[in-house]
Amino acid sequence: MQWVRPDDAGYDEARTLFNAMIDRRPAVIAQCTDAADVREALAMARKHGLEVAVRSGGHSVAGMSMIDGGLVVDVRPMKRISFDAESRTATVGGGVTWGEFDRAGQELGLATTGGRVTTTGVSGFTLGGGSGWLDRAWGLACDNLVSVDLVTASGNEVTASATENPELFWALHGGGGNFGVATSFTFNLHDVGPEVFCGLLLWPADAARDAALAFRDYVHSSPEALGANLVGVIAPPEDFVPAQMHGKPALAMVIVHAGSVEEGREAVRPLQELAPAADILAPRPYAEFQGMLDDEPGQFNYWSADYHDQFPDEAVDVFLDYGKTLPHESSQLLLAPWGGAAARVDPASTPMARRTSRWVSHPFALWRDPAQTEEAIGWARGFRRDIAAFTSGGVYLNFIGHEGQDRIKAAFGAENYARLARLKGEYDPENVFRGNQNIQPATAEPAAP
């Protein structure tokens, strides 16, 4: 255990998060190497009446893994990674990132659904559900869970699986960090590589509509092994991009295929035939693809999201219009198809509502100049306002910040939220773990007089 306090040399580095908008100063950061350290940290918080936040990857856009004046349980030192090729499972510590996970699995040609950038933490991503490039092929990250080890608010160590604490295991399939500090995860794995067909297609804004409509019409009939997202971007000044497109709005398709390279070429061909201005699809190691869209650190972030059961032409037009007005060269507007394995789960197996939604839209505002904050947040909120007529009412919580309790309840539905609240009342009745998309603990009914 390492305690990091405001006067220590590493304090500022230890409290820095992915989102540069967040500048919080905890009283102490407990850098934990195992479950015993977590127990000690939570006991310290109870003794001194400190509020608690839990940090793994630090990618929460709302900064939920950092707190002013409280205690941060930092599990990043928990870096154990163990692969079992025979059982096709992997067990990883609560501080592992998806880049570390994927690079370790690359050697065995095995992976599971991971984050869309390598710096995302396995823990928060998975507990929030876990939508990645290949969720149509493999399901969400939480769908691939075998077990989770937790330390509860009272300091107890528990394991949740299909056979051990199954109700808690259900809650951890999207219920977030409401029930304890996750110290270890075991996942089922899938074959990937050693190389996959992957990369990027790019169109200028004036040629984007036909490509976007064709993508929408094709992707849900395409092989489930095809992970393809539509992304509004600013064309980068790279050699593979025509010079006349540099720095201008463009439409990208980010593509990866989970099967063989030959199968990937065939699945992607209908998209390549749409005459992109740039095409960098090629065989690459899966772990290399996972890092292709990593964002530079130190940027301001504001995200939101919505589910869609359909995405008609009018919705495509809204998407494209906002793709032409990105507030910064790092900003993106993402449209991700759901379906396939992610939609075939038994609705009762996870608390996440509307798993059969066909699309997720995700305005992803990034910028560097604080003076641009109002414009950037206004852009993301404006997209949500103008796309609202085509939304289904659901939301994927990993894609949003603090947007109120109604949005949290919409992610689960009334029945699932009530069930989660009962579990919260059992495992964390004092709401110690409230630095998250918070589920309020249900209180016991008063006894009859």
Side-chain angles (χ1 to χ4, degrees), residues 196-219:
V196 293
F197 196 65
C198 62
L200 187 77
L201 302 174
L202 199 67
W203 288 260
D206 59 6
R209 192 172 193 270
D210 288 345
L213 292 173
F215 172 92
R216 179 204 60 191
D217 294 342
Y218 172 66
V219 71

PDB file of all heavy atoms in Angstrom, residues 196-219:
ATOM      1  N   VAL A 196      -5.969  -9.358 -37.962  1.00  0.00           N
ATOM      2  CA  VAL A 196      -7.361  -9.160 -38.365  1.00  0.00           C
ATOM      3  C   VAL A 196      -7.394  -8.103 -39.461  1.00  0.00           C
ATOM      4  O   VAL A 196      -6.490  -7.262 -39.575  1.00  0.00           O
ATOM      5  CB  VAL A 196      -8.235  -8.705 -37.171  1.00  0.00           C
ATOM      6  CG1 VAL A 196      -8.351  -9.812 -36.137  1.00  0.00           C
ATOM      7  CG2 VAL A 196      -7.684  -7.431 -36.533  1.00  0.00           C
ATOM      8  N   PHE A 197      -8.429  -8.139 -40.283  1.00  0.00           N
ATOM      9  CA  PHE A 197      -8.587  -7.128 -41.328  1.00  0.00           C
ATOM     10  C   PHE A 197      -9.266  -5.927 -40.702  1.00  0.00           C
ATOM     11  O   PHE A 197     -10.387  -6.025 -40.185  1.00  0.00           O
ATOM     12  CB  PHE A 197      -9.412  -7.691 -42.487  1.00  0.00           C
ATOM     13  CG  PHE A 197      -9.297  -6.874 -43.745  1.00  0.00           C
ATOM     14  CD1 PHE A 197      -8.078  -6.769 -44.403  1.00  0.00           C
ATOM     15  CD2 PHE A 197     -10.392  -6.219 -44.268  1.00  0.00           C
ATOM     16  CE1 PHE A 197      -7.954  -6.031 -45.569  1.00  0.00           C
ATOM     17  CE2 PHE A 197     -10.288  -5.474 -45.438  1.00  0.00           C
ATOM     18  CZ  PHE A 197      -9.059  -5.381 -46.092  1.00  0.00           C
ATOM     19  N   CYS A 198      -8.610  -4.775 -40.735  1.00  0.00           N
ATOM     20  CA  CYS A 198      -9.094  -3.645 -39.953  1.00  0.00           C
ATOM     21  C   CYS A 198      -8.523  -2.339 -40.495  1.00  0.00           C
ATOM     22  O   CYS A 198      -7.625  -2.338 -41.348  1.00  0.00           O
ATOM     23  CB  CYS A 198      -8.690  -3.808 -38.489  1.00  0.00           C
ATOM     24  SG  CYS A 198      -6.894  -3.854 -38.238  1.00  0.00           S
ATOM     25  N   GLY A 199      -9.058  -1.238 -39.995  1.00  0.00           N
ATOM     26  CA  GLY A 199      -8.538   0.066 -40.372  1.00  0.00           C
ATOM     27  C   GLY A 199      -9.622   1.095 -40.531  1.00  0.00           C
ATOM     28  O   GLY A 199     -10.620   1.094 -39.786  1.00  0.00           O
ATOM     29  N   LEU A 200      -9.491   1.938 -41.556  1.00  0.00           N
ATOM     30  CA  LEU A 200     -10.311   3.129 -41.679  1.00  0.00           C
ATOM     31  C   LEU A 200     -10.619   3.412 -43.147  1.00  0.00           C
ATOM     32  O   LEU A 200      -9.757   3.288 -44.006  1.00  0.00           O
ATOM     33  CB  LEU A 200      -9.539   4.321 -41.088  1.00  0.00           C
ATOM     34  CG  LEU A 200     -10.242   5.658 -40.956  1.00  0.00           C
ATOM     35  CD1 LEU A 200     -11.185   5.626 -39.755  1.00  0.00           C
ATOM     36  CD2 LEU A 200      -9.209   6.769 -40.756  1.00  0.00           C
ATOM     37  N   LEU A 201     -11.877   3.804 -43.395  1.00  0.00           N
ATOM     38  CA  LEU A 201     -12.288   4.367 -44.679  1.00  0.00           C
ATOM     39  C   LEU A 201     -12.721   5.800 -44.429  1.00  0.00           C
ATOM     40  O   LEU A 201     -13.295   6.115 -43.382  1.00  0.00           O
ATOM     41  CB  LEU A 201     -13.441   3.569 -45.292  1.00  0.00           C
ATOM     42  CG  LEU A 201     -13.212   2.077 -45.541  1.00  0.00           C
ATOM     43  CD1 LEU A 201     -14.508   1.421 -46.021  1.00  0.00           C
ATOM     44  CD2 LEU A 201     -12.103   1.867 -46.559  1.00  0.00           C
ATOM     45  N   LEU A 202     -12.495   6.694 -45.413  1.00  0.00           N
ATOM     46  CA  LEU A 202     -12.738   8.116 -45.194  1.00  0.00           C
ATOM     47  C   LEU A 202     -13.341   8.756 -46.442  1.00  0.00           C
ATOM     48  O   LEU A 202     -12.888   8.494 -47.562  1.00  0.00           O
ATOM     49  CB  LEU A 202     -11.420   8.809 -44.845  1.00  0.00           C
ATOM     50  CG  LEU A 202     -11.464  10.176 -44.158  1.00  0.00           C
ATOM     51  CD1 LEU A 202     -12.039  10.037 -42.753  1.00  0.00           C
ATOM     52  CD2 LEU A 202     -10.060  10.773 -44.086  1.00  0.00           C
ATOM     53  N   TRP A 203     -14.370   9.605 -46.207  1.00  0.00           N
ATOM     54  CA  TRP A 203     -15.019  10.354 -47.281  1.00  0.00           C
ATOM     55  C   TRP A 203     -15.038  11.835 -46.926  1.00  0.00           C
ATOM     56  O   TRP A 203     -15.217  12.187 -45.749  1.00  0.00           O
ATOM     57  CB  TRP A 203     -16.480   9.909 -47.459  1.00  0.00           C
ATOM     58  CG  TRP A 203     -16.659   8.569 -48.074  1.00  0.00           C
ATOM     59  CD1 TRP A 203     -16.958   8.278 -49.377  1.00  0.00           C
ATOM     60  CD2 TRP A 203     -16.588   7.297 -47.399  1.00  0.00           C
ATOM     61  NE1 TRP A 203     -17.064   6.922 -49.561  1.00  0.00           N
ATOM     62  CE2 TRP A 203     -16.837   6.290 -48.363  1.00  0.00           C
ATOM     63  CE3 TRP A 203     -16.327   6.923 -46.085  1.00  0.00           C
ATOM     64  CZ2 TRP A 203     -16.842   4.942 -48.054  1.00  0.00           C
ATOM     65  CZ3 TRP A 203     -16.321   5.578 -45.770  1.00  0.00           C
ATOM     66  CH2 TRP A 203     -16.577   4.609 -46.743  1.00  0.00           C
ATOM     67  N   PRO A 204     -14.917  12.716 -47.912  1.00  0.00           N
ATOM     68  CA  PRO A 204     -15.128  14.139 -47.630  1.00  0.00           C
ATOM     69  C   PRO A 204     -16.590  14.394 -47.308  1.00  0.00           C
ATOM     70  O   PRO A 204     -17.476  13.611 -47.679  1.00  0.00           O
ATOM     71  CB  PRO A 204     -14.710  14.824 -48.934  1.00  0.00           C
ATOM     72  CG  PRO A 204     -14.905  13.781 -49.991  1.00  0.00           C
ATOM     73  CD  PRO A 204     -14.606  12.461 -49.324  1.00  0.00           C
ATOM     74  N   ALA A 205     -16.866  15.498 -46.625  1.00  0.00           N
ATOM     75  CA  ALA A 205     -18.226  15.777 -46.170  1.00  0.00           C
ATOM     76  C   ALA A 205     -19.227  15.840 -47.312  1.00  0.00           C
ATOM     77  O   ALA A 205     -20.372  15.405 -47.167  1.00  0.00           O
ATOM     78  CB  ALA A 205     -18.242  17.087 -45.379  1.00  0.00           C
ATOM     79  N   ASP A 206     -18.810  16.343 -48.489  1.00  0.00           N
ATOM     80  CA  ASP A 206     -19.769  16.478 -49.590  1.00  0.00           C
ATOM     81  C   ASP A 206     -20.110  15.155 -50.254  1.00  0.00           C
ATOM     82  O   ASP A 206     -21.011  15.092 -51.090  1.00  0.00           O
ATOM     83  CB  ASP A 206     -19.274  17.495 -50.623  1.00  0.00           C
ATOM     84  CG  ASP A 206     -17.921  17.118 -51.233  1.00  0.00           C
ATOM     85  OD1 ASP A 206     -17.413  16.013 -50.949  1.00  0.00           O
ATOM     86  OD2 ASP A 206     -17.362  17.943 -51.994  1.00  0.00           O
ATOM     87  N   ALA A 207     -19.407  14.086 -49.891  1.00  0.00           N
ATOM     88  CA  ALA A 207     -19.722  12.756 -50.412  1.00  0.00           C
ATOM     89  C   ALA A 207     -20.184  11.817 -49.308  1.00  0.00           C
ATOM     90  O   ALA A 207     -20.303  10.611 -49.525  1.00  0.00           O
ATOM     91  CB  ALA A 207     -18.487  12.168 -51.113  1.00  0.00           C
ATOM     92  N   ALA A 208     -20.474  12.376 -48.133  1.00  0.00           N
ATOM     93  CA  ALA A 208     -20.719  11.536 -46.960  1.00  0.00           C
ATOM     94  C   ALA A 208     -22.107  10.907 -46.942  1.00  0.00           C
ATOM     95  O   ALA A 208     -22.280   9.800 -46.414  1.00  0.00           O
ATOM     96  CB  ALA A 208     -20.519  12.357 -45.685  1.00  0.00           C
ATOM     97  N   ARG A 209     -23.116  11.572 -47.486  1.00  0.00           N
ATOM     98  CA  ARG A 209     -24.487  11.092 -47.290  1.00  0.00           C
ATOM     99  C   ARG A 209     -24.712   9.723 -47.923  1.00  0.00           C
ATOM    100  O   ARG A 209     -25.272   8.826 -47.289  1.00  0.00           O
ATOM    101  CB  ARG A 209     -25.502  12.093 -47.837  1.00  0.00           C
ATOM    102  CG  ARG A 209     -26.938  11.776 -47.405  1.00  0.00           C
ATOM    103  CD  ARG A 209     -27.910  12.884 -47.788  1.00  0.00           C
ATOM    104  NE  ARG A 209     -29.186  12.724 -47.127  1.00  0.00           N
ATOM    105  CZ  ARG A 209     -30.216  12.035 -47.623  1.00  0.00           C
ATOM    106  NH1 ARG A 209     -30.104  11.449 -48.805  1.00  0.00           N
ATOM    107  NH2 ARG A 209     -31.345  11.928 -46.942  1.00  0.00           N
ATOM    108  N   ASP A 210     -24.300   9.557 -49.162  1.00  0.00           N
ATOM    109  CA  ASP A 210     -24.503   8.262 -49.817  1.00  0.00           C
ATOM    110  C   ASP A 210     -23.774   7.153 -49.059  1.00  0.00           C
ATOM    111  O   ASP A 210     -24.314   6.044 -48.894  1.00  0.00           O
ATOM    112  CB  ASP A 210     -24.022   8.315 -51.270  1.00  0.00           C
ATOM    113  CG  ASP A 210     -24.943   9.136 -52.164  1.00  0.00           C
ATOM    114  OD1 ASP A 210     -26.079   9.431 -51.740  1.00  0.00           O
ATOM    115  OD2 ASP A 210     -24.521   9.472 -53.286  1.00  0.00           O
ATOM    116  N   ALA A 211     -22.556   7.437 -48.593  1.00  0.00           N
ATOM    117  CA  ALA A 211     -21.796   6.430 -47.850  1.00  0.00           C
ATOM    118  C   ALA A 211     -22.472   6.097 -46.528  1.00  0.00           C
ATOM    119  O   ALA A 211     -22.564   4.930 -46.128  1.00  0.00           O
ATOM    120  CB  ALA A 211     -20.372   6.926 -47.609  1.00  0.00           C
ATOM    121  N   ALA A 212     -22.988   7.130 -45.832  1.00  0.00           N
ATOM    122  CA  ALA A 212     -23.638   6.902 -44.541  1.00  0.00           C
ATOM    123  C   ALA A 212     -24.911   6.075 -44.699  1.00  0.00           C
ATOM    124  O   ALA A 212     -25.183   5.168 -43.899  1.00  0.00           O
ATOM    125  CB  ALA A 212     -23.953   8.237 -43.874  1.00  0.00           C
ATOM    126  N   LEU A 213     -25.705   6.389 -45.717  1.00  0.00           N
ATOM    127  CA  LEU A 213     -26.936   5.627 -45.940  1.00  0.00           C
ATOM    128  C   LEU A 213     -26.623   4.180 -46.303  1.00  0.00           C
ATOM    129  O   LEU A 213     -27.302   3.249 -45.843  1.00  0.00           O
ATOM    130  CB  LEU A 213     -27.762   6.293 -47.036  1.00  0.00           C
ATOM    131  CG  LEU A 213     -28.360   7.660 -46.689  1.00  0.00           C
ATOM    132  CD1 LEU A 213     -29.004   8.292 -47.920  1.00  0.00           C
ATOM    133  CD2 LEU A 213     -29.380   7.544 -45.564  1.00  0.00           C
ATOM    134  N   ALA A 214     -25.604   3.974 -47.117  1.00  0.00           N
ATOM    135  CA  ALA A 214     -25.234   2.608 -47.496  1.00  0.00           C
ATOM    136  C   ALA A 214     -24.732   1.826 -46.283  1.00  0.00           C
ATOM    137  O   ALA A 214     -25.050   0.638 -46.119  1.00  0.00           O
ATOM    138  CB  ALA A 214     -24.167   2.649 -48.583  1.00  0.00           C
ATOM    139  N   PHE A 215     -23.959   2.488 -45.429  1.00  0.00           N
ATOM    140  CA  PHE A 215     -23.492   1.856 -44.195  1.00  0.00           C
ATOM    141  C   PHE A 215     -24.682   1.431 -43.345  1.00  0.00           C
ATOM    142  O   PHE A 215     -24.753   0.287 -42.874  1.00  0.00           O
ATOM    143  CB  PHE A 215     -22.605   2.837 -43.429  1.00  0.00           C
ATOM    144  CG  PHE A 215     -22.211   2.376 -42.050  1.00  0.00           C
ATOM    145  CD1 PHE A 215     -21.040   1.676 -41.855  1.00  0.00           C
ATOM    146  CD2 PHE A 215     -23.009   2.660 -40.942  1.00  0.00           C
ATOM    147  CE1 PHE A 215     -20.660   1.261 -40.580  1.00  0.00           C
ATOM    148  CE2 PHE A 215     -22.636   2.254 -39.676  1.00  0.00           C
ATOM    149  CZ  PHE A 215     -21.467   1.547 -39.489  1.00  0.00           C
ATOM    150  N   ARG A 216     -25.609   2.351 -43.138  1.00  0.00           N
ATOM    151  CA  ARG A 216     -26.781   2.045 -42.310  1.00  0.00           C
ATOM    152  C   ARG A 216     -27.549   0.841 -42.863  1.00  0.00           C
ATOM    153  O   ARG A 216     -28.004  -0.032 -42.102  1.00  0.00           O
ATOM    154  CB  ARG A 216     -27.703   3.259 -42.262  1.00  0.00           C
ATOM    155  CG  ARG A 216     -28.971   3.038 -41.449  1.00  0.00           C
ATOM    156  CD  ARG A 216     -30.075   3.973 -41.867  1.00  0.00           C
ATOM    157  NE  ARG A 216     -30.437   3.797 -43.272  1.00  0.00           N
ATOM    158  CZ  ARG A 216     -31.225   4.634 -43.947  1.00  0.00           C
ATOM    159  NH1 ARG A 216     -31.702   5.707 -43.347  1.00  0.00           N
ATOM    160  NH2 ARG A 216     -31.509   4.400 -45.221  1.00  0.00           N
ATOM    161  N   ASP A 217     -27.695   0.783 -44.167  1.00  0.00           N
ATOM    162  CA  ASP A 217     -28.486  -0.282 -44.775  1.00  0.00           C
ATOM    163  C   ASP A 217     -27.759  -1.620 -44.809  1.00  0.00           C
ATOM    164  O   ASP A 217     -28.399  -2.669 -44.893  1.00  0.00           O
ATOM    165  CB  ASP A 217     -28.883   0.121 -46.205  1.00  0.00           C
ATOM    166  CG  ASP A 217     -29.836   1.307 -46.242  1.00  0.00           C
ATOM    167  OD1 ASP A 217     -30.462   1.599 -45.198  1.00  0.00           O
ATOM    168  OD2 ASP A 217     -29.933   1.954 -47.302  1.00  0.00           O
ATOM    169  N   TYR A 218     -26.438  -1.580 -44.727  1.00  0.00           N
ATOM    170  CA  TYR A 218     -25.667  -2.820 -44.859  1.00  0.00           C
ATOM    171  C   TYR A 218     -25.303  -3.455 -43.533  1.00  0.00           C
ATOM    172  O   TYR A 218     -25.330  -4.672 -43.386  1.00  0.00           O
ATOM    173  CB  TYR A 218     -24.377  -2.550 -45.640  1.00  0.00           C
ATOM    174  CG  TYR A 218     -23.417  -3.719 -45.661  1.00  0.00           C
ATOM    175  CD1 TYR A 218     -23.747  -4.904 -46.317  1.00  0.00           C
ATOM    176  CD2 TYR A 218     -22.185  -3.648 -45.001  1.00  0.00           C
ATOM    177  CE1 TYR A 218     -22.877  -5.982 -46.331  1.00  0.00           C
ATOM    178  CE2 TYR A 218     -21.303  -4.716 -45.011  1.00  0.00           C
ATOM    179  CZ  TYR A 218     -21.646  -5.892 -45.674  1.00  0.00           C
ATOM    180  OH  TYR A 218     -20.781  -6.950 -45.679  1.00  0.00           O
ATOM    181  N   VAL A 219     -24.969  -2.638 -42.544  1.00  0.00           N
ATOM    182  CA  VAL A 219     -24.225  -3.163 -41.411  1.00  0.00           C
ATOM    183  C   VAL A 219     -24.998  -4.217 -40.626  1.00  0.00           C
ATOM    184  O   VAL A 219     -24.417  -5.199 -40.150  1.00  0.00           O
ATOM    185  CB  VAL A 219     -23.738  -2.013 -40.504  1.00  0.00           C
ATOM    186  CG1 VAL A 219     -24.894  -1.355 -39.754  1.00  0.00           C
ATOM    187  CG2 VAL A 219     -22.673  -2.501 -39.533  1.00  0.00           C
TER     188      VAL A 219
END
